[in-house]
Amino acid sequence: MQHPSKTPHADPFRAFAAQPEAAGLYDPEQEKDACGLAAVATLPLVRWTARWPRRRALLLTLVCLTVSQALSVLAPNFAVLSVARVLCALTHGLMWSVLAPIAVRLVPPGHGGRATTAVYAGTALALVAGNPMTALLSQTWGWRTAAAAVMVAAAAVTLAARLLLPVLPATTTGPTGRVSRRRWHRNRALATLCGLTLVGVSAHFMSYTYIAVVIGEVTGTATAPVLAGFGVAGLAAMAVFARPLDRWPRPVLMTALAGLVAAFAGLAFVAGGDPRPVLGVVGMLAWGAMSTALPPMLQSAAITSAPEDPDGASGLYVAMFQAGIVTGALAGGARLPGGDGPGASSRARAAIFGGVIVHGRRGCRRGRWRHGGGGRGNRGHATAAGPPASRDRQARAGSQQAAQA
């Protein structure tokens, strides 16, 4: 389940730690702390910005990303670099909470799943193209140059969002303008979905955190080509599942989960002995394909499960995803020194995802999110998109007229 918060990149903290004056100051646990901070901050920020137009909430996160990268470029010491990292982490969850609902509101009825998948395609592209590019910049001209490139890209995206996106009024305010208070614990479908997300993401990141070690032990080949194939397989899987996700969300979700079980079972069979390049690579590609295709499916289901508050439901899902990253990384770190190896980890993940499938099927039967991102008759879009599509089109037209004026 590749996610932007764990996309490999030229990390300024690691680069700074390599400098003589920074010796002994780098703490690898800060990476997990950033994800933990995002998980804690997501829901309060979603509530705080609930009455804001969606474009304003998105712009806040993009501005914070741009400023954090600027601080990284100019950072004279670890203290300033830490502030930059915290600023980026604070609004990271909010960004991913509002992006998918915005995308759903911008497309015609029945295209919600495809819109959410298009948003997540950026994470797979970051793994395939963005990571090598920033790594090359860092190795050639230094990590500050890579951070500057990210800053320029973030600034350009911020400007484009301001000029091209409609205002998109908030969907959680009533006639009085007060924020609707939703009791998520009473939404059985959303609670089930978020619980399964926490468990599944934790299982995934038990090994994904140390994916280079897994690749070496199960394939015996170079890491870089397999990592590239991991990302390409994810892009291909999202392209294959995007359209069916709008028509048959439940079977598509169950298929992806079953594919993960098969991939982990295959890796468990390969691990523990001599590397088997063919079987190992096939298992890694299957893992990459299914784990990359799952997040848009799950977030689309979360949005649909709470039509009265899609942004809040999306925020709860993102918070559970971030918490799963931290939990999985900690669990993986605890297992690695024990020498269990990828075989034991893969068997554990296969068993966990088998349980996720069983409980996920029950949640599908009981919950409203079985209709996904817009099934036949446009039912999914009508519930997940918030205001009617006509209202959003009017908002876009008004925004364009204001820009022209």
Side-chain angles (χ1 to χ4, degrees), residues 302-338:
I303 294 170
T304 308
S305 70
E308 70 284 354
D309 187 10
D311 293 336
S314 180
L316 184 61
Y317 162 80
V318 171
M320 292 300 101
F321 200 111
Q322 297 286 344
I325 293 175
V326 177
T327 304
L330 291 174
R335 292 177 63 88
L336 190 63

Side-chain angles (χ1 to χ4, degrees), residues 173-247:
T173 54
T176 62
R178 300 182 62 183
V179 179
S180 301
R181 299 295 181 182
R182 305 302 176 187
R183 299 184 177 182
W184 291 324
H185 65 281
R186 293 185 179 180
N187 187 332
R188 180 177 297 180
L190 180 61
T192 300
L193 177 67
C194 289
L196 295 179
T197 296
L198 175 62
V199 173
V201 173
S202 299
H204 168 75
F205 277 97
M206 282 173 58
S207 290
Y208 184 80
T209 306
Y210 309 99
I211 190 171
V213 177
V214 176
I215 291 174
E217 292 196 20
V218 301
T219 68
T221 61
T223 302
V226 179
L227 270 179
F230 190 98
V232 171
L235 281 171
M238 284 195 292
V240 169
F241 286 129
R243 185 179 295 272
L245 178 59
D246 282 319
R247 300 193 64 185

Side-chain angles (χ1 to χ4, degrees), residues 26-329:
Y26 172 64
D27 181 7
E29 294 300 315
Q30 292 188 33
E31 291 192 25
K32 300 184 183 72
D33 292 342
C35 293
L37 180 60
V40 172
T42 295
L43 291 179
L45 284 174
V46 167
R47 282 295 148 213
W48 178 53
T49 60
R51 289 194 294 176
W52 291 15
R54 297 299 82 197
R55 185 180 68 182
R56 185 194 301 175
L58 177 60
L59 288 175
L60 170 67
T61 68
L62 293 174
V63 168
C64 288
L65 173 61
T66 305
V67 172
S68 71
Q69 296 306 306
L71 287 175
S72 297
V73 173
L74 302 174
N77 51 50
F78 252 52
V80 176
L81 199 57
S82 297
V83 171
R85 189 65 166 255
V86 169
L87 177 61
C88 184
L90 274 174
T91 57
H92 174 85
L94 176 62
M95 176 186 290
W96 283 95
S97 298
V98 301
L99 269 177
I102 287 175
V104 171
R105 290 176 63 175
L106 292 176
V107 298
H111 291 70
R114 275 167 279 188
T116 306
T117 301
V119 169
Y120 274 86
T123 65
L125 286 172
L127 180 64
V128 175
N131 177 38
M133 289 175 61
T134 54
L136 179 62
L137 286 174
S138 181
Q139 293 169 5
T140 306
W141 292 293
W143 65 267
R144 292 183 191 270
T145 303
V150 176
M151 177 193 68
V152 172
V157 172
T158 303
L159 180 61
R162 174 62 181 83
L163 297 177
L164 300 179
L165 285 179
V167 175
L168 294 175
T171 62
T172 57
T173 54
T176 62
R178 300 182 62 183
V179 179
S180 301
R181 299 295 181 182
R182 305 302 176 187
R183 299 184 177 182
W184 291 324
H185 65 281
R186 293 185 179 180
N187 187 332
R188 180 177 297 180
L190 180 61
T192 300
L193 177 67
C194 289
L196 295 179
T197 296
L198 175 62
V199 173
V201 173
S202 299
H204 168 75
F205 277 97
M206 282 173 58
S207 290
Y208 184 80
T209 306
Y210 309 99
I211 190 171
V213 177
V214 176
I215 291 174
E217 292 196 20
V218 301
T219 68
T221 61
T223 302
V226 179
L227 270 179
F230 190 98
V232 171
L235 281 171
M238 284 195 292
V240 169
F241 286 129
R243 185 179 295 272
L245 178 59
D246 282 319
R247 300 193 64 185
W248 308 289
R250 175 180 168 183
V252 168
L253 179 60
M254 293 300 114
T255 298
L257 287 171
L260 268 181
V261 172
F264 296 151
L267 290 174
F269 174 77
V270 173
D274 295 332
R276 302 184 184 183
V278 175
L279 293 178
V281 169
V282 170
M284 293 301 302
L285 294 182
W287 178 14
M290 297 300 104
S291 63
T292 306
L294 265 174
M297 300 178 190
L298 294 172
Q299 190 160 10
S300 179
I303 294 170
T304 308
S305 70
E308 70 284 354
D309 187 10
D311 293 336
S314 180
L316 184 61
Y317 162 80
V318 171
M320 292 300 101
F321 200 111
Q322 297 286 344
I325 293 175
V326 177
T327 304

